[in-house]
Amino acid sequence: MTDKIKILFLCTGNSCRSQMAEGFARHLKSEEIQAFSAGVEPHGLNPHAVTVMAEAGVKISGQRSKRVEEFRAETFDAVITLCGHAHETCPWFPGATRIIHHGFDDPPTLAEGKTDPEQILDCYRKVRDEIRDWVQTLPESLELTSGKKV
């Protein structure tokens, strides 16, 4: 396939979920997907997300937390919101961009109140694995109207 599907993964902080999705899309689907990620209110790359992604063989430590406004002039086939807040506040994108919501739990919220480092990482691993399994279904599971073959 010569035409890659251009996807922006969007969450609130661009610190965990969208970073994981971008990392997996680049690692598992680079022949089919041109992946980017951003946040509504970037919080910086979460070190626990970096750790659990490295455990899965995907290096995201070189990625950075980006504000969605950096991509306002870009044309995407799909902007995929990964949390409710991002879905509710997702800005308008030019062209035939399709906004799709596929929510995942927030790892820091799941880890709240936990003090054992392994239990904390397990919260991130759970979401990481869910995101990996979902990314493996892309782009076939997307219903895009841009005319590109998926």
Side-chain angles (χ1 to χ4, degrees):
M1 175 192 272
T2 58
D3 251 354
K4 293 183 183 183
I5 302 299
K6 192 172 178 184
I7 297 176
L8 175 66
F9 297 101
L10 183 65
C11 67
T12 299
N14 193 219
S15 63
C16 292
R17 292 167 284 188
S18 55
Q19 295 284 354
M20 290 178 181
E22 177 185 2
F24 276 128
R26 289 175 183 258
H27 183 74
L28 300 170
K29 297 290 186 160
S30 64
E31 297 293 318
E32 303 164 274
I33 297 173
Q34 187 178 8
F36 303 87
S37 69
V40 177
E41 312 160 356
H43 299 151
L45 191 57
N46 184 296
H48 295 310
V50 173
T51 298
V52 300
M53 289 297 286
E55 291 174 355
V58 180
K59 181 181 176 186
I60 64 169
S61 59
Q63 294 177 196
R64 67 178 178 84
S65 187
K66 299 164 292 298
R67 186 173 299 281
V68 69
E69 284 79 16
E70 290 183 40
F71 298 98
R72 293 295 294 199
E74 295 282 333
T75 300
F76 293 95
D77 295 297
V79 173
I80 303 175
T81 58
L82 303 177
C83 69
H85 179 255
H87 184 65
E88 293 165 9
T89 59
C90 183
W92 176 85
F93 282 88
T97 301
R98 177 116 189 265
I99 309 297
I100 300 166
H101 179 67
H102 194 96
F104 293 95
D105 289 331
D106 180 40
T109 300
L110 292 176
E112 280 179 7
K114 295 185 179 4
T115 56
D116 178 61
E118 275 306 303
Q119 287 182 340
I120 292 169
L121 288 177
D122 282 344
C123 296
Y124 286 79
R125 290 176 183 123
K126 173 190 176 296
V127 176
R128 174 203 64 198
D129 293 348
E130 291 171 356
I131 291 172
R132 180 198 58 227
D133 292 348
W134 172 71
V135 166
Q136 288 176 327
T137 72
L138 300 177
E140 295 81 12
S141 63
L142 300 178
E143 294 179 20
L144 301 176
T145 59
S146 65
K148 290 192 179 187
K149 293 181 180 179
V150 291

